Amino acid sequence: MFQTRRLNLIAFIIISATLIIYDLYKAAHTSFTCDESITYLNYVNASFMDIISYRYPFPNNHILNSLLMKLSHAIFGSSELALRLPNIIAHAFYLLFSFKLFNRYSPKNAILFLILMNANPFLLDFFSLARGYGIAISLIVVGCYFYCRYLEDQKSKNHILAFLFICLASLANFAIINVVIIFILTHNFLQFFMLSRKFSFKNLWQVNYINLIILFFLSTILYEPIRKIIQLKLINFGGMNGFWQDTVGSLLSASAYYSPHENIIVIIWKELIIIFSILFLVKFKNYFVNKRTFELIQKIILFFGMNVFLVRSEEHTSEL
């Protein structure tokens, strides 16, 4: 086991160094996109309060990204590389904590999973652009790592860190508010259904007081931006057909590189996702060091898998 972890560490360093060098080169040699330019022109020179209060309301103001761009601009100047540096650093954290997660719970497959987590070129693009998406994705992975640690030891410190990083991710991309809600629901589902905690107002408070305190501060920051976004009807971006079709479907479609056989490729990939999830539930238990943690993860995947199945059933029914 020690030898496996040591080899994993060497492979992790090589893979991470290669990807970060790729990010640096791409960030330095690629011109700014339209969205990046809007963020730079409107928010980098704005004040701290103007950024977090959404004084100039527009979805390009990914608050955490705008603030980090402003900081990087003050320290390193206004080159493309300097303004994109926060997302490159976010990629380093993404690599580190995804590796720590896999190496802790499945060391035999840690490098395979790390490669898969960085195999999509569209995902890698986010880490070399001055946008909020790369930062948000990275913070979600960090939050997942600490929540898995919390499932192991039930320490409040890990719960606080997990939810704090998830909430910070929502400041980098408002769409992550959905993940914040899912986190709270999943946490309660685990405590009251999987761990069989007795349902009472006292236990409800004990389970959620950390979430509520952090959520209060997050709501204080997000109230004014969200109010302006809704008031000015700036929220009508993206698809209207649900997560599975508009997010998973469009991601797989784009990842097929618009092949003439795109529809067939997407169908195959969707089914492979479901098959892999079933195999994960049934076959991969022996690869995990902590069986109790794996059993909890099994139940989480089963719970959300049922929801995906229901969504897909609804989609197929509506097509008939």
Side-chain angles (χ1 to χ4, degrees):
M1 184 65 71
F2 174 78
Q3 185 67 19
T4 300
R5 293 183 187 275
R6 184 179 179 183
L7 291 174
N8 284 350
L9 179 60
I10 295 171
F12 162 72
I13 292 172
I14 295 171
I15 292 170
S16 298
T18 302
L19 288 171
I20 295 300
I21 291 171
Y22 168 80
D23 289 339
L24 290 167
Y25 180 84
K26 189 171 185 296
H29 292 83
T30 305
S31 300
F32 252 33
T33 64
C34 176
D35 287 334
E36 290 176 293
S37 300
I38 292 172
T39 303
Y40 172 71
L41 293 172
N42 289 281
Y43 302 111
V44 167
N45 292 310
S47 70
F48 175 83
M49 287 305 301
D50 285 347
I51 292 173
I52 66 170
S53 68
Y54 247 56
R55 181 177 179 182
Y56 311 108
F58 196 70
N60 280 71
N61 182 15
H62 298 163
I63 291 176
L64 188 56
N65 177 66
S66 297
L67 292 174
L68 291 174
M69 281 180 69
K70 182 178 179 65
L71 177 63
S72 187
H73 175 265
I75 298 173
F76 302 110
S78 58
S79 69
E80 286 89 346
L81 178 58
L83 295 170
R84 289 165 169 168
L85 189 59
N87 276 273
I88 298 173
I89 295 172
H91 195 188
F93 278 95
Y94 173 86
L95 288 162
L96 175 62
F97 280 91
S98 56
F99 173 72
K100 284 167 68 70
L101 184 67
F102 301 138
N103 202 41
R104 186 176 187 85
Y105 300 111
S106 183
K108 292 181 181 179
N109 296 282
I111 298 304
L112 171 63
F113 290 158
L114 182 69
I115 292 172
L116 290 175
M117 289 280 284
N118 290 273
N120 192 316
F122 293 98
L123 173 68
L124 296 181
D125 279 347
F126 289 140
F127 294 114
S128 55
L129 295 173
R131 305 286 285 134
Y133 306 113
I135 296 170
I137 292 167
S138 177
L139 291 171
I140 290 173
V141 169
V142 177
C144 288
Y145 169 77
F146 282 111
Y147 194 69
C148 286
R149 293 296 305 272
Y150 168 74
L151 293 177
E152 279 188 59
D153 54 31
Q154 296 291 302
K155 289 183 178 178
S156 296
K157 177 188 73 172
N158 289 325
H159 181 188
I160 292 169
L161 289 171
F163 193 51
L164 182 62
F165 280 111
I166 296 294
C167 287
L168 284 174
S170 71
L171 292 178
N173 180 4
F174 290 163
I176 306 302
I177 292 173
N178 294 324
V179 180
V180 174
I181 296 170
I182 290 170
F183 178 94
I184 295 172
L185 292 175
T186 303
H187 180 64
N188 280 269
F189 179 82
L190 281 173
Q191 295 296 320
F192 291 110
F193 292 94
M194 297 294 98
L195 300 180
S196 302
R197 186 189 286 258
K198 184 180 178 181
F199 187 84
S200 67
F201 286 110
K202 180 181 179 181
N203 285 339
L204 194 63
W205 168 254
Q206 289 177 345
V207 167
N208 287 288
Y209 78 94
I210 290 173
N211 296 341
L212 291 173
I213 292 171
I214 297 175
L215 198 59
F216 170 77
F217 289 104
L218 177 67
S219 301
T220 302
I221 297 171
L222 288 182
Y223 171 77
E224 188 63 12
I226 296 297
R227 184 188 70 81
K228 289 180 178 178
I229 285 174
I230 294 173
Q231 184 181 45
L232 297 173
K233 297 181 180 180
L234 300 174
I235 203 169
N236 299 322
F237 286 95
M240 304 296 289
N241 300 309
F243 172 80
W244 182 256
Q245 184 174 337
D246 288 331
T247 301
V248 177
S250 63
L251 173 63
L252 295 178
S253 178
S255 298
Y257 296 99
Y258 308 102
S259 162
H261 307 293
E262 176 186 314
N263 291 335
I264 297 174
I265 295 172
V266 170
I267 290 171
I268 293 172
W269 279 349
K270 282 184 176 180
E271 300 312 317
L272 283 175
I273 290 172
I274 296 172
I275 292 169
F276 180 80
S277 298
I278 294 171
L279 289 174
F280 180 86
L281 290 171
V282 176
K283 296 292 185 180
F284 284 9
K285 186 171 182 177
N286 293 331
Y287 290 108
F288 281 74
V289 176
N290 189 306
K291 298 296 189 291
R292 181 172 175 274
T293 300
F294 177 76
E295 288 168 2
L296 289 173
I297 295 172
Q298 270 187 325
K299 293 168 183 175
I300 294 172
I301 293 175
L302 182 61
F303 173 68
F304 285 105
M306 289 171 61
N307 282 278
V308 170
F309 174 77
L310 292 173
V311 170
R312 292 195 69 199
S313 298
E314 183 181 348
E315 288 175 5
H316 291 310
T317 302
S318 64
E319 291 171 359
L320 296 176

